[in-house]
Amino acid sequence: MVKAYLRYEQEAVFGLVVSPSCGSICFDQSGRSILTGALERLLVWDVRKGTLLQQLSPQPAGAGYSQGGAGAASAAGSVHDAVPAVADVTAICPSPADATQVAAGYTDGTVRVWNMVDGTCRTSLAGHRSGVAVVRYNAAGALLASGGRDADIVVWDVAGEVGLVRLRGHRDQVTDLTFLEGSLVQHQSLLISCSKDAQIKVWDLALHHCIQTIAEPRGELWTLAVHPSLPRLVAAGTEPEVLVFQIRAERGRVVGVGQGAERALSVRFDGPGKVLACQSAGKAIELFRVRTPGEAIRQAKRRRRRQVEKGKGKGGTGEGGVEEEAEGGGEGVGEGGEGGERRDGGAEVTVEGADEFASMFTIRLKHRVRAIAFAPKAAGAGGAGGRGGGKGGAEPSLALALHNNSVEIHTIHADSSTRAASLQSAGHRSDVRSLALSSDGSLLLSVSKGSAKVWNPVTGACLSSFDSGYGLCCLFAPGDRYAISGTQSGDLEVFSVASAERTALIQAAHDKAVWAMAPLADNTGFATASADGCVKFWEYQMQLLGTDSDKDALAAGRGEKHLTVVNTRTLKMSDDVLSLAFSPDGRYIALSLLDSTIKVFFVDSLRFFLSLYGHKLPAICLDISSDSQLAVSGSADKSVKIWGLDFGDCHRSLFAHQDSVMCVKFVPRTHYFFSCGKDRRVRYWDADKFQLLLTLEGHHAEVWSLAISPLGDFLVSGSHDRSIRRWQRTDEPFFLEA
């Protein structure tokens, strides 16, 4: 008889603010919302409230899972490796003409145009053989240019949803693009591109041809930007400097970036063109003030005067101290604009690139910067060259996407900056190491390096956040009012869910890292497993933690008690204990040791019962079924073994994942179980028939932990990609092929 199973599908993704795979960040036209790339999703955030407004995610039919079948248990790794992962967002650009429209590039080479209000995908454009590195709209919003890692540039008609021209000429990845239109180039339609091949190319979109190539022999070029009103183009790359070009024929002098120790990843002008921000490859953003043409001439005169005086002091003519302008080579990008050589009282004054930019200050951060963007609301801040943050206009705002899954918005003043807002409460700063669900499944606890968070697993909203150590395991105390975490340093931390504060810290609970913890069957306490080779049993106690006056108040019937834990028993093992699990009937405790064995003891007497051996490498995770009949273990040898707890025999060994198995969990009141591993997959198994039922695809990095609701109606997984995904059981049945 064919058995029917119910399918699990991905229902929600949360815990991400911005992912390192996305190289851009941007504001909407109003400046009140910010758009970030979070793996496969494009997120729209309210800057002031810090709340998520919209998620834009492609969900093609059948995505997120693949079905097992006969023989799948023996070839689990090879049968499903062909299932493609969901593509990441790599580039974002809002439409300048339509406030609801935004374009995003993906790692699979597609460009999607989204409606930010209703979350629908207007069109999907496929034109690249590999990932899209940059997307840009022209001023009218009618054309969209995309540059790919395949070295091609494709110009799209947004309304017609068709590609107009493919521009080929670069020999490596296209890293940045910008349209050049209007009176600055005599109303031509030009496109400027830069690439890792160290070339800047100017394309005539009417001729579909490259009209100028500028080679930069000093290394790759990563970014470029055109001033909103002046005929200036700036570019930067692997060298610690910014190149300044006049949009005519000649290239200006270079402007140093920071300390000159790191390359620039991005350069951006604010709306009115008064401030230039240079993002380094490290943790610094250097800001330059753009001088007006008159200020640039006066600066050039002062520089010339100093050079002449220096030359006279050495007894020279004063002419040898002036470095010649670098030649641009070939025809210019366009006519117009001030710059180059100017005459003042009959003498020639050469305005160099360094004369047009004045260093303001450097924003130094604690984490690496991934992308930057100016808010468009600063566009009314006055003419070009005005001082940012001065009295003549509004102060510009700069958004910074950081590598630690957070976004900061800084207000730029004349000589400093202040952090005006941040988006960080909606995600962990590092990978999610452990998950635990409350007794009714309404709360989700996650721990990571430096923080622990409580979530609503249905909506994905972060309810509270705690500062903590490097959490490796966690659980809810009975009643779900308190959460407990075990850390890498061997401490135990107790948190109050309601007040969002730590109420107890048991320092040195273990001498080394606490790898796992599990509640006792009677819910009177829990046990912890550590790298120090000890398994410790802990009992819950309510105590007043405070001064003597607090204790006097408690004795008088006043005061408030808080949960703490007390060690009652200790089981010393001969090797590191990596994982543990209690049988639901309260009789046994199973321990996984570093010597690749699994030991089973009686809980009441701690007397040895069984030894389960067969793994070639240590078993990292354990779980026991609700009827206390079966145990399942996952190992670094990529296998999952199903054991009988009556005699300790191995029912079946399954090759489960392509890398180490990190977590296994039984579905309550069944013999079905889930496993996850470093191969980024979550798999669903039948322990009675030894068959693979489903493979759940979606994570982009190692999956560390799983948690299953008490009813088994949904599963939650946490990963190294910092995302938490909820997989919902549907009413759709499926059958395995014979």
Side-chain angles (χ1 to χ4, degrees):
M1 181 177 179
V2 179
K3 189 174 183 179
Y5 302 90
L6 295 180
R7 191 180 303 279
Y8 283 80
E9 294 182 356
Q10 182 174 292
E11 187 72 17
V13 184
F14 51 95
L16 276 174
V17 178
V18 59
S19 58
S21 59
C22 185
S24 59
I25 185 175
C26 62
F27 287 88
D28 68 344
Q29 289 186 8
S30 66
R32 292 189 292 268
S33 300
I34 195 167
L35 292 91
T36 63
L39 298 180
E40 74 274 14
R41 299 176 303 147
L42 186 60
L43 305 181
V44 184
W45 300 89
D46 185 297
V47 174
R48 185 175 60 86
K49 298 180 181 179
T51 56
L52 182 63
L53 300 177
Q54 188 64 265
Q55 299 186 48
L56 312 177
S57 176
Q59 289 293 341
Y65 65 85
S66 60
Q67 187 170 316
S74 61
S78 58
V79 170
H80 303 284
D81 282 348
V83 179
V86 181
D88 289 3
V89 178
T90 55
I92 312 169
C93 184
S95 171
D98 188 347
T100 65
Q101 183 173 298
V102 60
Y106 293 81
T107 53
D108 60 358
T110 61
V111 177
R112 291 183 174 91
V113 180
W114 296 91
N115 186 313
M116 291 187 290
V117 177
D118 57 20
T120 59
C121 181
R122 293 184 175 180
T123 181
S124 180
L125 309 169
H128 293 276
R129 299 186 301 274
S130 58
V132 177
V134 57
V135 289
R136 290 286 183 270
Y137 278 99
N138 70 338
L143 299 180
L144 177 66
S146 61
R149 294 171 185 166
D150 56 2
D152 289 353
I153 302 170
V154 181
V155 181
W156 307 89
D157 181 348
V158 178
E161 301 180 5
V162 65
L164 299 179
V165 60
R166 182 183 298 273
L167 305 175
R168 289 176 172 168
H170 284 295
R171 298 189 299 272
D172 207 336
Q173 172 182 328
V174 179
T175 53
D176 210 349
L177 298 169
T178 185
F179 282 92
L180 195 59
E181 299 171 316
S183 59
L184 194 63
V185 289
Q186 298 179 346
H187 299 284
Q188 301 179 77
S189 182
L190 304 181
L191 180 68
I192 305 178
S193 63
C194 65
S195 169
K196 283 186 178 181
D197 62 8
Q199 291 182 348
I200 296 176
K201 289 183 177 289
V202 184
W203 308 84
D204 190 321
L205 297 182
L207 301 176
H208 300 172
H209 186 68
C210 176
I211 60 175
Q212 183 185 7
T213 298
I214 303 172
E216 177 51 51
R218 281 172 288 188
E220 300 174 351
L221 293 173
W222 281 89
T223 179
L224 56 82
V226 174
H227 193 277
S229 57
L230 296 177
R232 291 293 180 269
L233 170 72
V234 296
T238 54
E239 291 297 314
E241 57 191 17
V242 171
L243 306 175
V244 184
F245 297 84
Q246 182 181 355
I247 302 181
R248 226 175 63 191
E250 295 182 343
R251 185 184 69 184
R253 297 295 182 202
V254 297
V255 181
V257 177
Q259 302 297 321
E262 296 177 303
R263 59 189 174 93
L265 287 181
S266 180
V267 290
R268 292 292 180 262
F269 288 100
D270 70 332
K274 299 188 302 181
V275 179
L276 173 68
C278 300
Q279 170 202 346
S280 74
K283 304 175 183 179
I285 305 292
E286 185 157 2
L287 299 173
F288 294 90
R289 181 174 66 86
V290 182
R291 293 189 175 105
T292 63
E295 289 176 329
I297 293 175
R298 290 192 293 272
Q299 176 65 20
K301 289 180 181 179
R302 288 192 293 268
R303 175 180 51 80
R304 173 69 175 179
R305 191 180 306 115
R306 287 193 299 269
Q307 290 175 341
V308 171
E309 292 174 353
K310 182 178 179 181
K312 288 181 179 180
K314 293 181 179 180
T317 62
E319 297 294 325
V322 181
E323 185 179 356
E324 292 296 323
E325 282 288 328
E327 296 183 0
E331 295 184 0
V333 174
E335 298 293 334
E338 300 183 20
E341 296 181 351
R342 299 181 176 90
R343 290 187 176 273
D344 181 75
E348 290 187 354
V349 179
T350 302
V351 177
E352 299 181 355
D355 300 327
E356 299 182 344
F357 298 90
S359 179
M360 296 173 61
F361 56 89
T362 300
I363 303 175
R364 301 196 181 278
L365 303 151
K366 295 181 180 180
H367 304 278
R368 292 167 57 199
V369 184
R370 187 67 182 94
I372 61 174
F374 277 103
K377 64 181 180 181
R387 291 183 180 271
K391 297 180 180 179
E395 296 176 329
S397 295
L398 180 66
L400 312 174
L402 306 182
H403 269 265
N404 70 335
N405 192 29
S406 66
V407 174
E408 294 183 1
I409 294 92
H410 289 248
T411 301
I412 308 302
H413 310 297
D415 55 0
S416 64
S417 69
T418 57
R419 192 174 75 173
S422 64
L423 304 174
Q424 57 183 5
S425 64
H428 285 285
R429 305 285 75 78
S430 61
D431 49 341
V432 180
R433 291 307 303 259
S434 183
L435 298 170
L437 282 165
S438 61
S439 58
D440 58 358
S442 62
L443 298 177
L444 172 68
L445 173 65
S446 64
V447 294
S448 179
K449 182 180 180 180
S451 67
K453 293 180 181 292
V454 176
W455 309 82
N456 183 326
V458 177
T459 63
C462 180
L463 305 179
S464 57
S465 183
F466 322 96
D467 293 332
S468 70
Y470 195 151
L472 298 177
C473 52
C474 61
L475 55 79
F476 277 100
D480 303 327
R481 294 177 54 200
Y482 293 91
I484 303 172
S485 170
T487 68
Q488 191 179 51
S489 60
D491 300 336
L492 291 180
E493 298 176 320
V494 182
F495 303 98
S496 171
V497 175
S499 61
E501 61 181 7
R502 188 173 65 187
T503 59
L505 172 63
I506 295 87
Q507 294 183 330
H510 286 274
D511 295 333
K512 295 182 180 180
V514 182
W515 289 119
M517 58 174 55
L520 294 171
D522 58 5
N523 285 328
T524 58
F526 62 95
T528 55
S530 171
D532 62 6
C534 291
V535 176
K536 293 190 177 183
F537 292 77
W538 304 85
E539 186 179 74
Y540 298 122
Q541 290 186 3
M542 299 299 294
Q543 293 182 359
L544 178 68
L545 306 178
T547 62
D548 293 338
S549 60
D550 295 328
K551 295 178 181 179
D552 294 339
L554 180 62
R558 301 186 305 272
E560 182 180 358
K561 289 185 177 181
H562 293 287
L563 180 72
T564 187
V565 294
V566 177
N567 181 220
T568 57
R569 293 187 295 172
T570 300
L571 175 62
K572 181 64 178 176
M573 304 302 297
S574 60
D575 215 332
D576 297 13
V577 185
L578 303 180
S579 182
L580 80 163
F582 286 98
S583 62
D585 60 8
R587 296 184 62 193
Y588 309 120
I589 177 175
L591 309 176
S592 169
L593 304 182
L594 192 61
D595 61 5
S596 303
T597 63
I598 299 171
K599 307 289 187 184
V600 183
F601 295 83
F602 291 100
V603 173
D604 52 0
S605 63
L606 297 184
R607 185 166 52 89
F608 175 76
F609 175 53
L610 291 172
S611 180
L612 313 178
Y613 55 90
H615 281 295
K616 297 178 181 178
L617 292 174
I620 301 173
C621 48
L622 281 172
D623 198 21
I624 298 177
S625 62
S626 299
D627 57 5
S628 302
Q629 296 298 312
L630 296 180
V632 61
S633 60
S635 169
D637 61 13
K638 310 175 187 178
S639 70
V640 166
K641 291 184 182 295
I642 302 170
W643 312 87
L645 282 183
D646 45 3
F647 302 107
D649 56 320
C650 180
H651 290 186
R652 186 65 64 92
S653 180
L654 307 173
F655 179 63
H657 292 268
Q658 287 294 302
D659 210 328
S660 300
V661 183
M662 301 309 298
C663 189
V664 289
K665 291 289 183 183
F666 271 103
V667 178
R669 294 178 294 280
T670 71
H671 281 180
Y672 309 144
F673 69 92
F674 286 91
S675 67
C676 67
K678 288 185 177 181
D679 61 355
R680 306 179 299 175
R681 292 169 170 83
V682 178
R683 290 197 159 112
Y684 185 33
W685 304 84
D686 187 335
D688 290 329
K689 294 191 173 183
F690 317 122
Q691 285 186 318
L692 172 64
L693 306 179
L694 288 176
T695 297
L696 306 178
E697 304 272 350
H699 281 291
H700 296 245
E702 300 96 322
V703 186
W704 295 122
S705 182
L706 298 173
I708 299 181
S709 68
L711 299 178
D713 55 339
F714 69 89
L715 166 79
V716 184
S717 58
S719 170
H720 182 71
D721 61 17
R722 300 171 185 169
S723 71
I724 301 173
R725 297 174 187 263
R726 179 168 60 87
W727 312 85
Q728 190 73 33
R729 186 173 64 194
T730 66
D731 295 330
E732 177 188 356
F734 69 95
F735 306 91
L736 295 184
E737 298 178 1

